[in-house]
């Protein structure tokens, strides 16, 4: 008797969408005037070259998990989904200081569903959009019904305050979405990829500069970047990736309601919008002004802020795109969550 080679049962899922978004930013607001104390810079230069006016830094005893938990609780509440209904948690971060067990497993224990599937991903500033892509596929394939995707960073722990190329850019915070079943497709195809020949453009490695200035152990990693290299790559490649994302979703620029890109530099945001010929009617997230660059958390924090500022955008179409160390990127067109 021959054994059957097929006959494996498979699941099929449903359309999916974002059901709710939440964000958390630490209480402490840090103005440019504080950051420039240790670098040769000025408030005016930082505003002009990046758009950043203030950012949030977490308290010494405030962890990645504390921030992720707060953002997730808000997302769950707004989505009207209980933690018991969440079967999968994807946590994107480059600043959780432990390899194992994952931040995601610590998070599900805190949120009260320690039996959910949970894992961390590292796709740097693209981590949240990588997570949204996976969550969408999980729901569509029937692997999961409700997925919590959280991007969270405590970059202040990994900043060299004397580094003129990063000290004024990066910041702390968390943003989360609940992704679940939907009657209509609410998340378009994910366009993602890498440019791994530019792996050295953004690094998180021990910094000799910080060592010289007296970092306690001298081996603690700091984030560093070749600013101009990343800037040129983002302006040139990310608008093209954005256009491919729109095309894959069958959405034209004039059908978009909002553009919510990674918040790395307001000049990159403006240039992408110009290159993609987004009409005036598209509301553009420029949350970097008051949030800085929060890496994996920047897109959901910007989404939450945009919906607070423009409640009419609930249910509208938004183009998301994240990019960062690797270099890696991911984008998708999403229907913004309904009004809570
Ligand atoms: O999330 C990860 C993705 N990261 C990014 O997307 C970062 C992309 N890059 C950038 O946002 C920009 O490259 C920076 C904001 C990091 C730097 O701005 P830039 O316009 O590329 O500056 P630059 O390195 O080309 O330097 C221009 C000038 C130089 O002076 P001179 O030679 O023209 O006299 C620098 O010495 O600005 C000077 N400069 C500064 N001045 C005041 C460089 N850094 C500073 C500073 N403060 N911190």
């Amino acid at each position: 008797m021959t054994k059957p080679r097929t006959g494996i049962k498979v699941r099929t899922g449903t359309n999916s969408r974002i059901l709710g978004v939440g964000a958390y930013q630490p209480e402490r607001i840090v103005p440019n005037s504080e950051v420039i104390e240790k670098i040769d810079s000025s408030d005016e230069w930082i505003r002009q070259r990046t758009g950043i006016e203030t950012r949030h830094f977490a308290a010494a005893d405030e962890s990645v998990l504390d921030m992720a938990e707060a953002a997730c609780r808000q997302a769950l509440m707004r989505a009207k989904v209980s933690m018991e209904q969440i079967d999968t948690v994807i946590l994107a971060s480059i600043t959780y200081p432990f390899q194992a067990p994952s931040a995601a497993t610590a998070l599900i224990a805190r949120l009260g569903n320690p039996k959910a599937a949970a894992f961390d991903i590292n796709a740097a500033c693209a981590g949240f959009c990588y997570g949204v892509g996976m969550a969408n596929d999980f729901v569509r394939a029937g692997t999961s019904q409700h997925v919590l995707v959280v991007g969270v960073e405590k970059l202040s722990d990994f900043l060299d305050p004397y580094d003129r190329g990063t000290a004024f850019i990066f910041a702390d915070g968390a943003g989360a979405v609940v992704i679940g079943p939907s009657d209509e497709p609410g998340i378009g195809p994910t366009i993602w990829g890498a440019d791994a020949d530019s792996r050295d453009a953004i690094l998180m490695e021990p910094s000799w500069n910080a060592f010289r200035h007296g970092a306690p152990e001298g081996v603690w990693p700091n984030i560093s970047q070749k600013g101009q290299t990343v800037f040129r790559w983002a302006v040139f490649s990310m608008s093209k990736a954005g256009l491919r994302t729109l095309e894959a979703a069958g959405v034209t620029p004039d059908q978009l309601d909002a553009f919510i890109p990674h918040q790395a530099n307001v000049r990159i945001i403006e240039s992408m919008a110009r290159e993609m010929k987004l009409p005036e009617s598209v509301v553009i997230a420029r949350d970097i002004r008051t949030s800085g660059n929060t890496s994996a958390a920047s897109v959901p924090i910007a989404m939450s802020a945009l919906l607070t500022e423009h409640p009419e955008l609930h249910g509208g179409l938004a183009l998301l795109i994240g990019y960062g160390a690797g270099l890696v990127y991911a984008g998708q067109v999403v229907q913004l969550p309904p009004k809570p």
Side-chain angles (χ1 to χ4, degrees), residues 39-42 45-46 49-50 125 164-165 168-170 202 225-231 234 262-265 267-268 293 295 323-325:
I39 50 172
D40 175 18
S41 190
S42 67
W45 189 93
I46 297 171
R49 305 300 274 196
T50 68
C125 306
R164 219 170 164 234
F168 57 95
I169 294 175
F170 293 102
I202 306 173
Q225 66 172 351
K226 294 180 181 167
Q228 278 196 11
T229 306
V230 183
F231 191 98
H262 172 44
Q263 304 290 302
N265 187 317
R267 290 188 293 137
I268 297 177
N293 179 341
S295 189
Y323 54 87

Side-chain angles (χ1 to χ4, degrees), residues 117-263:
F119 59 97
D120 296 354
I121 55 171
N122 174 347
C125 306
F128 175 76
C129 292
Y130 265 64
V132 168
M134 285 192 270
N136 179 39
D137 291 348
F138 292 170
V139 174
R140 287 168 51 76
T143 309
S144 311
Q145 278 199 321
H146 291 92
V147 185
L148 192 53
V149 182
V150 53
V152 55
E153 302 290 2
K154 190 178 179 186
L155 280 146
S156 60
D157 271 351
F158 296 86
L159 269 186
D160 173 355
Y162 295 91
D163 179 7
R164 219 170 164 234
T166 55
F168 57 95
I169 294 175
F170 293 102
D172 303 337
V177 290
V178 176
I179 291 177
S182 165
D183 293 335
E184 300 287 329
I187 301 177
T190 295
I191 296 299
W192 58 357
D195 187 354
D197 292 334
S198 300
R199 280 197 317 288
D200 65 345
I202 306 173
L203 299 172
M204 194 148 6
E205 290 183 342
S207 154
W208 294 109
N209 191 30
F211 183 56
R212 270 206 311 279
H213 286 282
E217 303 300 332
V219 291
W220 187 254
N222 282 141
I223 193 159
S224 62
Q225 66 172 351
K226 294 180 181 167
Q228 278 196 11
T229 306
V230 183
F231 191 98
R232 284 198 213 104
W233 174 81
V235 166
F236 183 75
S237 311
M238 290 303 96
S239 43
K240 289 188 171 60
L243 287 173
R244 283 194 282 131
T245 307
L246 286 173
E247 198 186 340
V251 170
T252 54
D254 58 296
Q255 289 171 328
L256 269 185
D257 297 294
F259 175 43
I260 313 177
H262 172 44
Q263 304 290 302

Side-chain angles (χ1 to χ4, degrees), residues 266-338:
V266 83
R267 290 188 293 137
I268 297 177
I269 297 170
E270 305 297 355
S271 155
M272 284 179 71
R274 245 188 341 264
E275 289 288 314
M276 291 192 291
K277 300 191 171 51
L278 298 186
E280 294 271 312
S281 57
V282 177
V283 182
I284 299 175
R286 295 183 185 85
D287 182 63
I288 186 158
R289 283 187 187 139
T290 51
S291 297
N293 179 341
T294 57
S295 189
S298 90
V299 170
I301 289 177
M303 184 189 295
S304 181
L306 201 69
L307 288 171
T308 303
E309 203 183 321
H310 296 275
E312 74 280 5
L313 289 175
H314 283 280
L317 286 182
L319 171 64
L320 314 183
I321 187 155
Y323 54 87
L327 296 166
V328 295
Y329 67 92
Q332 52 272 122
V333 174
V334 302
Q335 185 181 17
L336 291 166

Side-chain angles (χ1 to χ4, degrees), residues 29-32 51-56 287-292:
I29 295 171
V30 178
N32 290 337
I52 301 171
E53 294 165 19
T54 58
R55 76 282 288 141
H56 295 253
D287 182 63
I288 186 158
R289 283 187 187 139
T290 51
S291 297

